[in-house]
Structure formats: structure tokens, C-alpha cells
């Protein structure tokens, strides 16, 4: 659960409100350096989905997440 939204990471990434999605993608980026482990396929799907978001702030954060997790993506992506 994310402290700021009282929902799970999965629900927050797909939340109707852009600020909640932004919190979720930022949390995902911070997980890279934390003790939490997340499935590689979950990270890939979450980042790629948020790259198509309708909020520019979410997209910019997703681009940064893409850079952080670039080892999970093939060169085609």
C-alpha cells in the first residue's frame, strides 16, 4: 500500500487521478534503491503503460523510470 493514497501500487498506477498515478510511478522509481522487490514484468508493464498517460507530469516521471529500469527492456522497446 502507498501511504499517500491508501491503495495498492497496482491500483495507484491505474488510478483516475493523475496526482495518484504520479505518486505511484515515483514510488516505483524509488523501489530500485529500496529493500522492496517487484517483478520485472510488472515494472515493464507499469512503465510502458504510464508512458502513454494523458498527464505530462506522469509521462515525464515514467521516462525517468524507464531510464532507471532500462536493463529490463529490450533494445526494440
Amino acid at each position: 500500500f502507498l501511504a499517500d493514497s491508501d491503495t495498492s501500487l497496482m491500483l495507484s498506477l491505474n488510478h483516475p487521478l493523475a496526482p495518484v498515478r504520479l505518486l505511484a510511478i515515483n514510488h516505483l522509481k524509488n523501489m530500485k534503491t529500496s529493500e522492496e522487490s517487484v517483478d520485472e514484468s510488472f515494472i515493464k508493464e507499469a512503465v510502458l503503460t504510464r508512458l502513454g498517460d494523458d498527464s505530462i507530469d506522469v509521462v515525464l516521471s515514467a521516462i525517468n523510470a524507464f531510464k532507471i529500469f532500462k536493463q529490463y527492456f529490450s533494445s526494440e522497446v
Side-chain angles (χ1 to χ4, degrees):
F1 280 85
L2 298 178
D4 295 335
S5 67
D6 293 329
T7 63
S8 69
L9 180 58
M10 176 65 119
L11 290 175
S12 295
L13 284 165
N14 297 298
H15 197 276
L17 297 176
V20 176
R21 294 191 308 272
L22 183 60
L23 283 171
I25 199 75
N26 286 335
H27 181 77
L28 188 68
K29 292 187 311 188
N30 293 333
M31 292 174 73
K32 178 70 174 178
T33 57
S34 75
E35 302 284 320
E36 298 176 75
S37 64
V38 177
D39 183 51
E40 180 181 327
S41 62
F42 174 79
I43 292 171
K44 288 177 8 182
E45 180 180 340
V47 171
L48 291 175
T49 301
R50 291 304 99 207
L51 285 173
D53 201 277
D54 59 352
S55 166
I56 190 67
D57 292 330
V58 175
V59 172
L60 292 173
S61 189
I63 290 170
N64 287 329
F66 185 83
K67 292 176 186 175
I68 291 169
F69 295 107
K70 65 184 172 193
Q71 75 274 11
Y72 295 154
F73 297 92
S74 66
S75 59
E76 291 83 29
V77 175

